[in-house]
Amino acid sequence: MELTSIKGIGEKNKLILNKMNIYNIEDLLEYFPYRYIEYKLDNIKEVSDKTNVIIKGKIDSTPITRYIRSKLNITNFRLYSNQKMVNIVIYNRAFMSKQLTPGREITVIGKYDEKKNTISATNILLSNVIEGSIESKYHLKEGITNKQITSYINNALNLKVNVTDYVPEYLNDKYKLITKNDAIEKIHRPKSINEIKKAKLKLIYEELFKFMFKINYLKYLKTKENKKSKKEVDITKVQEFIKNLPFSLTTDQQKAVEEIHKDLTSETRMNRLLCGDVGSGKTIVGVIASFECFLSGYQTALMAPTEILASQHYENIKNLLSKTKMKVALLLGSTKKQEKEKIYEDLKQGKIDLLIGTHAILNEKVTFKNLGLVITDEQHRFGVNQRNSLRTKGILPDILYMSATPIPRTYALTIYGDMDVSLIKTKPSGRKEIKTIIKSEKEIKEVLYMMLEEIKNNHQIYVVTPLIEESEEISEVRTVTELKEKLDEAFNHKIKIGLLHGKLDKTEKEKVMTDFKNGNTKVLVSTTVIEVGVDVPNATMMVIFNAERFGLATLHQLRGRIGRNSLDSTCILIGPKNNKRLKVLEESTDGFYITEKDFEMRREGDLFGVKQSGDMEFKIADIKRDFKILLEAKKDSEEFLAKNITNNFKNQDKYIKIIDELKSLD
Ligand code: ADP
Ligand code: MG
């Protein structure tokens, strides 16, 4: 159903919803809250210092508003609540002051300081709050408020459309799960915490069941349609190539090379994930695979998620292969037309042995003479739906995925159950460790001083800040821009600072990156868009603001941007000093250890905890937190598949739909 047929949604807001990946009513109904506020009224006489009090009371004095700066005003008034007078202070609500008339009953939410008998309010509600009611909070995009999205969802729910339940009936019974329709209703409009729990359990299980169903189906396909011709590789030439490298391979690299060699020379198509921490040396393993492919007379395609990364690979790999006869080419969207035509022609004739580019290289009108291997870098960017895409090309190349998400083997075997996995656990020796320190916000002066020192030594710095999605007013652009302004001020505008965020278009982004790479800018302020693969060896410091808001894995990935040469590097995490998760990072730079800890800590968090965003492709499940459920879903979906595959899911079209989705993706 069209979004605009839902009451309240016009053309303009439809476009904003689209940006939130909401295209139809089902998407809207499955746009789940990420957190809830329970309105349990506090008695001001009984609370002492508390961060989140909710009290009802009557305004007792005419509010006074002071304007401090253009973006800052403060309003003060007295509130009479439960026979006690309390002071209220709230920022940036000058626009409300007309409505805050003495005698009016309001609800105030905020932090109570008993000594000062003052509530520093985060919110004032004019309408009557129902005791015990629960408000759902949604992640928002600029231009849409929580109130609006809540109202759209309400209107959609009132249409009572039937949503597909992918959990087979007997499994719903087995786990006593509520119906999907019920779960959708309750996740958005819960009447109690218990209802949220039940709804979440159902939706998480369903999501994981569907996910594991796909994985298991791909695994089944693999055993069925995976014959290819063996590649004949002259192993002495490979050994010679390895011997001539400027370094010797680590044990894990050698093992991965051997596993890949076995795959290439076998009759079964390779579908392998090469998993290793940032800097563990995955590229050379991929390069050796492409060399073997070349020796056996086939071409290789290497795909990177961004043009910057593809270019970096190209420069680096051309070097590594300079002593061989392999011909390497780079194909980007921005490559000049004439040059493109030439590359197409050369590929067709087999004059190019290794083509490097973004994912576009398999979609464009590119025809290979005989493509034998596809390598995709930073696999964690591609979801399960994309994993199958190469099968439909009519060609059956071997496939190697390279991923920097260091994931423990047991987990890898589950979520990548349709692939074989090679792990590189140890880094090449002689690497400088990155020193990580936690600094509280109060110590910011010291941090600025450390930054200055680093710049004096002619090094460069990344500054990263999270998106504060909770706030309806603060947008990504504003968050980073404000931080840049503050730094400009702190450094007296004497240091060139670049600014990178997701709202820049591709050319703008590349310009910012190139400026930083060339050292034109000394500091790069950004959101997490720099996360993947960027290589600026002269950057030796990273400062992460509000570090406690990032997931462990993200912080670890970010930190991998520094420590890329023989210089000492420092990562400064700004956040609470006693934060357990930040301490893990201070303690170790081993990605596998950190991920293990991450799994442990999230398991301790209950089902009710806030899901960390950016984790694979899930809307509500968190595979680390919900790993037990994932294992159940794995077993269940295997059984279900085995039972139904023989009769081709008779009378169960919804599963055919999932399979078709998997098959048709390009
Ligand atoms: P990643 O796994 O993050 O993709 P890269 O493949 O980019 O890591 O390797 C990081 C750096 O380590 C590169 O400069 C590469 O040349 C170097 N390198 C790779 N393997 C070794 C090794 N065995 N000994 C020394 N340096 C190595
Ligand atoms: Mg890499």
Side-chain angles (χ1 to χ4, degrees), residues 92-326:
N92 293 339
R93 295 297 150 89
F95 64 89
M96 276 183 100
S97 53
K98 275 209 184 93
Q99 288 158 295
L100 297 174
T101 46
R104 179 162 190 170
E105 194 171 65
I106 58 169
T107 304
V108 175
I109 304 167
K111 187 174 168 178
Y112 182 52
D113 181 334
E114 195 179 15
K115 243 203 224 137
K116 294 187 192 153
N117 188 31
T118 297
I119 294 176
S120 177
T122 51
N123 212 353
I124 291 179
L125 304 170
L126 297 169
S127 52
N128 235 337
V129 173
I130 301 162
E131 166 82 17
S133 69
I134 295 172
E135 188 189 354
S136 303
K137 287 281 185 191
Y138 298 89
H139 283 303
L140 301 166
K141 272 255 149 59
E142 240 173 310
I144 272 194
T145 62
N146 201 64
K147 213 166 151 184
Q148 276 172 308
I149 187 105
T150 305
S151 129
Y152 302 158
I153 289 173
N154 264 330
N155 295 339
L157 285 169
N158 292 342
L159 296 173
K160 301 266 178 229
V161 289
N162 214 3
V163 281
T164 312
D165 188 344
Y166 288 97
V167 184
E169 215 33 65
Y170 72 95
L171 289 171
N172 272 328
D173 291 346
K174 177 177 166 188
Y175 296 111
K176 301 197 170 56
L177 298 173
I178 61 177
T179 65
K180 176 81 174 276
N181 284 334
D182 218 12
I184 293 281
E185 167 72 30
K186 292 194 161 95
I187 199 84
H188 292 294
R189 302 195 281 208
K191 293 200 183 67
S192 67
I193 303 289
N194 196 33
E195 282 194 0
I196 300 173
K197 283 190 178 152
K198 281 188 173 156
K200 272 202 162 181
L201 189 63
K202 164 70 183 215
L203 295 169
I204 289 171
Y205 178 81
E206 187 200 36
E207 189 166 44
L208 293 175
F209 178 82
K210 217 170 138 184
F211 175 74
M212 285 314 304
F213 178 88
K214 289 179 187 172
I215 301 270
N216 286 321
Y217 188 79
L218 290 176
K219 204 158 138 188
Y220 158 81
L221 276 188
K222 192 169 130 183
T223 59
K224 275 199 49 174
E225 330 175 327
N226 247 17
K227 287 276 166 278
K228 62 148 205 235
S229 49
K230 298 188 202 188
K231 295 190 166 77
E232 310 275 348
V233 180
D234 181 350
I235 192 76
T236 55
K237 286 197 172 142
V238 181
Q239 282 160 348
E240 202 183 297
F241 175 74
I242 293 175
K243 223 177 70 200
N244 283 327
L245 288 172
F247 45 75
S248 47
L249 296 183
T250 62
T251 319
D252 286 348
Q253 281 173 323
Q254 273 170 24
K255 201 166 153 238
V257 167
E258 276 161 32
E259 285 166 339
I260 292 166
H261 175 76
K262 268 201 199 119
D263 288 351
L264 293 174
T265 53
S266 89
E267 272 183 348
T268 315
R269 190 177 173 214
M270 173 164 80
N271 191 31
R272 183 170 291 278
L273 175 72
L274 177 62
C275 204
D277 214 345
V278 174
S280 61
K282 295 182 290 293
T283 313
I284 188 61
V285 176
V287 169
I288 295 168
S290 75
F291 184 60
E292 293 204 7
C293 194
F294 161 74
L295 290 176
S296 61
Y298 287 92
Q299 294 166 299
T300 299
L302 189 154
M303 307 190 289
T306 65
E307 298 212 339
I308 301 174
L309 280 176
S311 310
Q312 272 175 20
H313 270 317
Y314 176 69
E315 295 302 329
N316 177 20
I317 291 171
K318 222 173 39 177
N319 259 335
L320 287 167
L321 291 172
S322 59
K323 286 191 198 126
T324 72
K325 292 209 173 76
M326 266 179 89

Side-chain angles (χ1 to χ4, degrees), residues 10 14 60 64 107 128 137 145 147 249 275 288 313 317 319 334 414 423 435 445 449 500 514 529 561:
K14 183 181 105 177
D60 193 73
I64 295 167
T107 304
N128 235 337
K137 287 281 185 191
T145 62
K147 213 166 151 184
L249 296 183
C275 204
I288 295 168
H313 270 317
I317 291 171
N319 259 335
S334 55
T414 308
L423 296 183
K435 200 169 134 203
K445 274 221 172 100
Y449 184 72
L500 189 70
T514 316
V529 284
R561 300 296 116 232

